[in-house]
């Protein structure tokens, strides 16, 4: 029985080492989104490149301009394509959706700092920017200005100060 316990512990340690090595390898990877042509399988950078590809490359008679978004994994030595930001790098702070709306985070779903904008109370930033008043604005510039107003209102609120949300944002410093 003692031999079996020692072998089991050694196996568990080996599994843990392999897991940790894989986790370290994955930390060095970066991922970029690309578009894959459904007709020929070519991978292009974006919608404009897909449109150009479809007009320049001859496909069969059944081609229906279908494509799919794919994720490419870049290894440690691979260059990040122009125009892309490595969201995992030390100099970048990514806004994200937290697992819990009650957790202190920069998520648009964070409920710790309700705020008032144009006389209406919003529980989250997401609620404010998806409201009909913003969605119905005629131009993207007007919608962007409304979103900026909502962000400013939330982070200037007493709730943002009291919950630590404002300090959490300021702690990102000069990161992208």
């Amino acid at each position: 029985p003692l031999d079996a316990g020692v072998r089991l512990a050694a196996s568990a340690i080996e599994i843990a080492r392999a897991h940790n090595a894989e986790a370290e390898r994955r930390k060095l990877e970066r991922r970029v989104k690309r578009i894959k042509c459904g007709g020929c399988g070519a991978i292009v950078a974006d919608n404009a490149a897909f449109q150009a590809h479809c007009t320049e490359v001859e496909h069969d008679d059944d081609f229906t301009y279908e494509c799919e978004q794919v994720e490419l994994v870049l290894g440690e030595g691979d260059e990040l394509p122009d125009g892309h930001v490595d969201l995992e790098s030390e100099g970048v702070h990514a806004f994200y959706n937290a697992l819990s709306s009650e957790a202190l985070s920069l998520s648009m779903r964070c409920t710790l700092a309700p705020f008032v904008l144009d006389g209406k109370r919003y529980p989250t930033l997401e609620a404010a920017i998806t409201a009909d008043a913003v969605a119905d604005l005629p131009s993207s510039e007007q919608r962007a200005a409304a979103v900026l107003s909502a962000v400013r209102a939330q982070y200037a609120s007493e709730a943002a100060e009291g919950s630590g949300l404002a300090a959490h944002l300021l702690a990102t410093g000069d990161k992208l």
Side-chain angles (χ1 to χ4, degrees), residues 123-172:
T124 65
L125 186 57
E126 181 180 53
I129 66 173
T130 58
D132 288 343
V134 174
D136 292 342
L137 290 171
S139 74
S140 60
E141 291 84 12
Q142 289 172 313
R143 288 187 295 277
V147 168
L148 182 58
S149 294
V151 169
R152 286 182 173 148
Q154 183 181 39
Y155 282 90
S157 71
E158 288 181 21
E161 190 68 36
S163 68
L165 185 62
H168 189 55
L169 177 64
L170 291 172
T172 63

Short mmCIF file of all heavy atoms in Angstrom, two decimals, residues 123-172:
data_model
loop_
_atom_site.label_atom_id
_atom_site.label_comp_id
_atom_site.label_asym_id
_atom_site.label_seq_id
_atom_site.Cartn_x
_atom_site.Cartn_y
_atom_site.Cartn_z
N PRO A 123 -28.63 51.35 -13.55
CA PRO A 123 -27.91 50.46 -12.63
C PRO A 123 -26.50 50.12 -13.11
O PRO A 123 -25.62 49.83 -12.31
CB PRO A 123 -28.78 49.20 -12.60
CG PRO A 123 -29.48 49.20 -13.93
CD PRO A 123 -29.69 50.66 -14.28
N THR A 124 -26.30 50.18 -14.43
CA THR A 124 -25.00 49.83 -15.00
C THR A 124 -24.72 50.70 -16.22
O THR A 124 -25.64 51.30 -16.80
CB THR A 124 -24.96 48.36 -15.48
OG1 THR A 124 -25.89 48.21 -16.57
CG2 THR A 124 -25.29 47.39 -14.37
N LEU A 125 -23.48 50.71 -16.62
CA LEU A 125 -23.10 51.42 -17.85
C LEU A 125 -23.76 50.75 -19.05
O LEU A 125 -24.25 51.43 -19.96
CB LEU A 125 -21.58 51.41 -17.98
CG LEU A 125 -20.99 52.21 -19.12
CD1 LEU A 125 -21.41 53.67 -19.03
CD2 LEU A 125 -19.47 52.11 -19.07
N GLU A 126 -23.84 49.44 -19.02
CA GLU A 126 -24.47 48.71 -20.12
C GLU A 126 -25.94 49.14 -20.29
O GLU A 126 -26.41 49.34 -21.41
CB GLU A 126 -24.40 47.21 -19.87
CG GLU A 126 -25.02 46.39 -20.99
CD GLU A 126 -24.95 44.90 -20.72
OE1 GLU A 126 -25.38 44.46 -19.64
OE2 GLU A 126 -24.46 44.19 -21.61
N ALA A 127 -26.65 49.31 -19.18
CA ALA A 127 -28.05 49.72 -19.25
C ALA A 127 -28.18 51.10 -19.90
O ALA A 127 -29.10 51.34 -20.69
CB ALA A 127 -28.67 49.73 -17.87
N ALA A 128 -27.25 51.98 -19.60
CA ALA A 128 -27.31 53.34 -20.15
C ALA A 128 -27.03 53.35 -21.65
O ALA A 128 -27.73 54.01 -22.42
CB ALA A 128 -26.33 54.25 -19.43
N ILE A 129 -26.04 52.59 -22.08
CA ILE A 129 -25.66 52.68 -23.49
C ILE A 129 -26.51 51.81 -24.40
O ILE A 129 -26.46 51.96 -25.61
CB ILE A 129 -24.16 52.41 -23.72
CG1 ILE A 129 -23.80 50.97 -23.40
CG2 ILE A 129 -23.31 53.38 -22.91
CD1 ILE A 129 -22.37 50.62 -23.77
N THR A 130 -27.31 50.93 -23.82
CA THR A 130 -28.23 50.13 -24.65
C THR A 130 -29.65 50.67 -24.57
O THR A 130 -30.55 50.11 -25.20
CB THR A 130 -28.21 48.65 -24.23
OG1 THR A 130 -28.59 48.54 -22.86
CG2 THR A 130 -26.85 48.03 -24.47
N ALA A 131 -29.84 51.75 -23.83
CA ALA A 131 -31.16 52.37 -23.72
C ALA A 131 -31.59 52.91 -25.09
O ALA A 131 -30.77 53.27 -25.93
CB ALA A 131 -31.13 53.50 -22.70
N ASP A 132 -32.89 52.96 -25.30
CA ASP A 132 -33.43 53.45 -26.57
C ASP A 132 -32.93 54.85 -26.91
O ASP A 132 -32.71 55.17 -28.07
CB ASP A 132 -34.96 53.45 -26.53
CG ASP A 132 -35.53 52.05 -26.57
OD1 ASP A 132 -34.79 51.11 -26.95
OD2 ASP A 132 -36.71 51.88 -26.21
N ALA A 133 -32.74 55.69 -25.88
CA ALA A 133 -32.29 57.06 -26.12
C ALA A 133 -30.94 57.09 -26.83
O ALA A 133 -30.68 57.99 -27.63
CB ALA A 133 -32.20 57.82 -24.80
N VAL A 134 -30.10 56.12 -26.58
CA VAL A 134 -28.80 56.05 -27.26
C VAL A 134 -28.93 55.28 -28.57
O VAL A 134 -28.45 55.71 -29.61
CB VAL A 134 -27.73 55.40 -26.35
CG1 VAL A 134 -26.43 55.19 -27.10
CG2 VAL A 134 -27.51 56.25 -25.11
N ALA A 135 -29.60 54.14 -28.51
CA ALA A 135 -29.73 53.28 -29.70
C ALA A 135 -30.43 53.99 -30.86
O ALA A 135 -30.14 53.71 -32.02
CB ALA A 135 -30.47 52.01 -29.34
N ASP A 136 -31.35 54.90 -30.55
CA ASP A 136 -32.11 55.58 -31.59
C ASP A 136 -31.43 56.82 -32.16
O ASP A 136 -31.99 57.47 -33.05
CB ASP A 136 -33.50 55.96 -31.05
CG ASP A 136 -34.37 54.74 -30.78
OD1 ASP A 136 -34.06 53.65 -31.32
OD2 ASP A 136 -35.34 54.87 -30.02
N LEU A 137 -30.24 57.14 -31.66
CA LEU A 137 -29.54 58.31 -32.20
C LEU A 137 -29.16 58.03 -33.66
O LEU A 137 -28.75 56.92 -34.00
CB LEU A 137 -28.31 58.63 -31.37
CG LEU A 137 -28.62 59.20 -29.97
CD1 LEU A 137 -27.35 59.28 -29.14
CD2 LEU A 137 -29.28 60.56 -30.08
N PRO A 138 -29.30 59.05 -34.53
CA PRO A 138 -29.13 58.81 -35.97
C PRO A 138 -27.71 58.56 -36.46
O PRO A 138 -27.51 57.94 -37.50
CB PRO A 138 -29.71 60.07 -36.60
CG PRO A 138 -29.65 61.10 -35.56
CD PRO A 138 -29.75 60.39 -34.24
N SER A 139 -26.68 59.02 -35.74
CA SER A 139 -25.33 58.85 -36.27
C SER A 139 -24.43 58.16 -35.25
O SER A 139 -24.65 58.23 -34.04
CB SER A 139 -24.71 60.20 -36.66
OG SER A 139 -24.36 60.92 -35.50
N SER A 140 -23.39 57.53 -35.76
CA SER A 140 -22.44 56.86 -34.87
C SER A 140 -21.70 57.88 -34.00
O SER A 140 -21.35 57.59 -32.86
CB SER A 140 -21.45 56.01 -35.67
OG SER A 140 -20.73 56.82 -36.57
N GLU A 141 -21.50 59.09 -34.51
CA GLU A 141 -20.83 60.12 -33.72
C GLU A 141 -21.70 60.51 -32.52
O GLU A 141 -21.20 60.70 -31.42
CB GLU A 141 -20.53 61.38 -34.57
CG GLU A 141 -19.46 61.17 -35.61
CD GLU A 141 -20.00 60.54 -36.90
OE1 GLU A 141 -21.23 60.47 -37.10
OE2 GLU A 141 -19.17 60.10 -37.72
N GLN A 142 -23.00 60.63 -32.74
CA GLN A 142 -23.91 60.97 -31.64
C GLN A 142 -23.98 59.84 -30.62
O GLN A 142 -24.01 60.08 -29.42
CB GLN A 142 -25.31 61.28 -32.17
CG GLN A 142 -25.38 62.60 -32.93
CD GLN A 142 -26.72 62.78 -33.61
OE1 GLN A 142 -27.23 61.87 -34.26
NE2 GLN A 142 -27.29 63.97 -33.45
N ARG A 143 -23.99 58.59 -31.10
CA ARG A 143 -24.00 57.45 -30.18
C ARG A 143 -22.71 57.39 -29.38
O ARG A 143 -22.72 57.15 -28.17
CB ARG A 143 -24.25 56.15 -30.93
CG ARG A 143 -25.69 56.03 -31.44
CD ARG A 143 -25.99 54.68 -32.03
NE ARG A 143 -25.23 54.37 -33.23
CZ ARG A 143 -25.55 54.77 -34.45
NH1 ARG A 143 -26.63 55.50 -34.66
NH2 ARG A 143 -24.79 54.46 -35.49
N ALA A 144 -21.57 57.66 -30.03
CA ALA A 144 -20.28 57.66 -29.33
C ALA A 144 -20.25 58.75 -28.26
O ALA A 144 -19.76 58.52 -27.15
CB ALA A 144 -19.14 57.85 -30.32
N ALA A 145 -20.78 59.91 -28.57
CA ALA A 145 -20.84 61.01 -27.59
C ALA A 145 -21.73 60.63 -26.42
O ALA A 145 -21.41 60.94 -25.26
CB ALA A 145 -21.33 62.29 -28.26
N ALA A 146 -22.84 59.95 -26.69
CA ALA A 146 -23.74 59.52 -25.62
C ALA A 146 -23.07 58.49 -24.72
O ALA A 146 -23.23 58.52 -23.49
CB ALA A 146 -25.03 58.96 -26.21
N VAL A 147 -22.32 57.58 -25.31
CA VAL A 147 -21.60 56.57 -24.52
C VAL A 147 -20.56 57.27 -23.65
O VAL A 147 -20.43 56.96 -22.46
CB VAL A 147 -20.94 55.52 -25.44
CG1 VAL A 147 -19.97 54.65 -24.67
CG2 VAL A 147 -22.02 54.66 -26.10
N LEU A 148 -19.83 58.21 -24.21
CA LEU A 148 -18.83 58.94 -23.43
C LEU A 148 -19.50 59.69 -22.28
O LEU A 148 -18.98 59.70 -21.16
CB LEU A 148 -18.07 59.91 -24.34
CG LEU A 148 -16.96 60.71 -23.66
CD1 LEU A 148 -15.93 59.79 -23.03
CD2 LEU A 148 -16.30 61.63 -24.68
N SER A 149 -20.65 60.29 -22.51
CA SER A 149 -21.38 60.98 -21.44
C SER A 149 -21.77 60.01 -20.33
O SER A 149 -21.68 60.33 -19.15
CB SER A 149 -22.64 61.65 -21.98
OG SER A 149 -22.30 62.69 -22.86
N ALA A 150 -22.19 58.81 -20.72
CA ALA A 150 -22.57 57.80 -19.73
C ALA A 150 -21.36 57.36 -18.91
O ALA A 150 -21.45 57.23 -17.68
CB ALA A 150 -23.22 56.60 -20.42
N VAL A 151 -20.23 57.15 -19.56
CA VAL A 151 -19.02 56.75 -18.84
C VAL A 151 -18.62 57.85 -17.86
O VAL A 151 -18.32 57.58 -16.69
CB VAL A 151 -17.86 56.46 -19.83
CG1 VAL A 151 -16.53 56.30 -19.10
CG2 VAL A 151 -18.17 55.21 -20.65
N ARG A 152 -18.64 59.08 -18.32
CA ARG A 152 -18.29 60.20 -17.44
C ARG A 152 -19.25 60.30 -16.26
O ARG A 152 -18.83 60.53 -15.12
CB ARG A 152 -18.28 61.50 -18.23
CG ARG A 152 -17.09 61.62 -19.13
CD ARG A 152 -17.08 62.95 -19.86
NE ARG A 152 -15.83 63.11 -20.60
CZ ARG A 152 -15.72 63.76 -21.72
NH1 ARG A 152 -16.78 64.35 -22.26
NH2 ARG A 152 -14.58 63.86 -22.32
N ALA A 153 -20.54 60.12 -16.51
CA ALA A 153 -21.53 60.20 -15.43
C ALA A 153 -21.30 59.09 -14.41
O ALA A 153 -21.38 59.33 -13.20
CB ALA A 153 -22.94 60.12 -16.01
N GLN A 154 -21.03 57.89 -14.89
CA GLN A 154 -20.84 56.79 -13.94
C GLN A 154 -19.59 57.01 -13.09
O GLN A 154 -19.63 56.89 -11.87
CB GLN A 154 -20.75 55.45 -14.64
CG GLN A 154 -20.63 54.31 -13.62
CD GLN A 154 -20.50 52.94 -14.23
OE1 GLN A 154 -19.82 52.77 -15.24
NE2 GLN A 154 -21.15 51.97 -13.62
N TYR A 155 -18.48 57.33 -13.73
CA TYR A 155 -17.23 57.46 -12.97
C TYR A 155 -17.17 58.72 -12.12
O TYR A 155 -16.36 58.79 -11.20
CB TYR A 155 -16.02 57.31 -13.90
CG TYR A 155 -15.79 55.87 -14.23
CD1 TYR A 155 -16.40 55.28 -15.33
CD2 TYR A 155 -15.02 55.07 -13.41
CE1 TYR A 155 -16.23 53.94 -15.61
CE2 TYR A 155 -14.84 53.72 -13.68
CZ TYR A 155 -15.45 53.17 -14.77
OH TYR A 155 -15.28 51.84 -15.04
N ALA A 156 -18.03 59.69 -12.38
CA ALA A 156 -18.08 60.89 -11.56
C ALA A 156 -19.07 60.74 -10.41
O ALA A 156 -19.16 61.62 -9.56
CB ALA A 156 -18.47 62.09 -12.42
N SER A 157 -19.79 59.64 -10.37
CA SER A 157 -20.83 59.46 -9.34
C SER A 157 -20.21 59.17 -7.97
O SER A 157 -19.09 58.68 -7.87
CB SER A 157 -21.77 58.32 -9.73
OG SER A 157 -21.11 57.07 -9.62
N GLU A 158 -20.98 59.47 -6.94
CA GLU A 158 -20.55 59.16 -5.58
C GLU A 158 -20.40 57.65 -5.40
O GLU A 158 -19.51 57.18 -4.69
CB GLU A 158 -21.55 59.70 -4.56
CG GLU A 158 -21.52 61.20 -4.43
CD GLU A 158 -22.51 61.71 -3.38
OE1 GLU A 158 -22.91 60.92 -2.50
OE2 GLU A 158 -22.86 62.89 -3.46
N ALA A 159 -21.25 56.88 -6.07
CA ALA A 159 -21.17 55.42 -5.96
C ALA A 159 -19.85 54.90 -6.52
O ALA A 159 -19.27 53.96 -5.98
CB ALA A 159 -22.35 54.77 -6.68
N ALA A 160 -19.36 55.50 -7.60
CA ALA A 160 -18.08 55.07 -8.18
C ALA A 160 -16.94 55.37 -7.21
O ALA A 160 -16.00 54.58 -7.08
CB ALA A 160 -17.84 55.76 -9.51
N GLU A 161 -17.04 56.50 -6.53
CA GLU A 161 -16.02 56.86 -5.55
C GLU A 161 -16.09 55.92 -4.34
O GLU A 161 -15.10 55.35 -3.90
CB GLU A 161 -16.22 58.32 -5.11
CG GLU A 161 -15.09 58.86 -4.27
CD GLU A 161 -13.80 59.02 -5.05
OE1 GLU A 161 -13.84 59.38 -6.23
OE2 GLU A 161 -12.74 58.78 -4.45
N GLY A 162 -17.30 55.73 -3.82
CA GLY A 162 -17.49 54.92 -2.62
C GLY A 162 -17.20 53.44 -2.81
O GLY A 162 -16.72 52.76 -1.91
N SER A 163 -17.48 52.93 -3.99
CA SER A 163 -17.28 51.49 -4.24
C SER A 163 -15.84 51.17 -4.60
O SER A 163 -15.44 50.01 -4.61
CB SER A 163 -18.18 51.03 -5.38
OG SER A 163 -17.75 51.61 -6.61
N GLY A 164 -15.05 52.18 -4.92
CA GLY A 164 -13.69 51.95 -5.36
C GLY A 164 -13.56 51.83 -6.87
O GLY A 164 -12.47 51.64 -7.39
N LEU A 165 -14.68 51.96 -7.58
CA LEU A 165 -14.65 51.81 -9.04
C LEU A 165 -13.78 52.89 -9.69
O LEU A 165 -12.97 52.60 -10.57
CB LEU A 165 -16.06 51.84 -9.62
CG LEU A 165 -16.19 51.59 -11.12
CD1 LEU A 165 -15.67 50.18 -11.46
CD2 LEU A 165 -17.63 51.73 -11.57
N ALA A 166 -13.93 54.14 -9.24
CA ALA A 166 -13.13 55.23 -9.81
C ALA A 166 -11.64 54.99 -9.55
O ALA A 166 -10.81 55.14 -10.45
CB ALA A 166 -13.57 56.57 -9.24
N ALA A 167 -11.29 54.57 -8.34
CA ALA A 167 -9.89 54.30 -8.00
C ALA A 167 -9.37 53.12 -8.84
O ALA A 167 -8.21 53.12 -9.26
CB ALA A 167 -9.75 54.00 -6.52
N HIS A 168 -10.23 52.14 -9.07
CA HIS A 168 -9.85 50.97 -9.88
C HIS A 168 -9.49 51.42 -11.30
O HIS A 168 -8.51 50.96 -11.87
CB HIS A 168 -11.01 49.98 -9.89
CG HIS A 168 -10.71 48.66 -10.49
ND1 HIS A 168 -9.67 47.86 -10.08
CD2 HIS A 168 -11.33 47.97 -11.48
CE1 HIS A 168 -9.66 46.74 -10.79
NE2 HIS A 168 -10.65 46.80 -11.65
N LEU A 169 -10.28 52.33 -11.87
CA LEU A 169 -9.99 52.85 -13.21
C LEU A 169 -8.68 53.66 -13.19
O LEU A 169 -7.83 53.48 -14.06
CB LEU A 169 -11.13 53.72 -13.73
CG LEU A 169 -10.88 54.38 -15.09
CD1 LEU A 169 -10.72 53.34 -16.18
CD2 LEU A 169 -12.00 55.34 -15.42
N LEU A 170 -8.52 54.52 -12.19
CA LEU A 170 -7.32 55.34 -12.13
C LEU A 170 -6.06 54.49 -11.96
O LEU A 170 -4.99 54.86 -12.42
CB LEU A 170 -7.44 56.36 -10.99
CG LEU A 170 -8.47 57.46 -11.23
CD1 LEU A 170 -8.65 58.29 -9.97
CD2 LEU A 170 -8.09 58.33 -12.41
N ALA A 171 -6.19 53.33 -11.33
CA ALA A 171 -5.04 52.44 -11.12
C ALA A 171 -4.52 51.86 -12.43
O ALA A 171 -3.39 51.36 -12.46
CB ALA A 171 -5.41 51.32 -10.16
N THR A 172 -5.30 51.95 -13.49
CA THR A 172 -4.79 51.45 -14.77
C THR A 172 -3.71 52.38 -15.33
O THR A 172 -2.98 52.01 -16.24
CB THR A 172 -5.93 51.31 -15.82
OG1 THR A 172 -6.48 52.59 -16.10
CG2 THR A 172 -7.00 50.35 -15.33
#
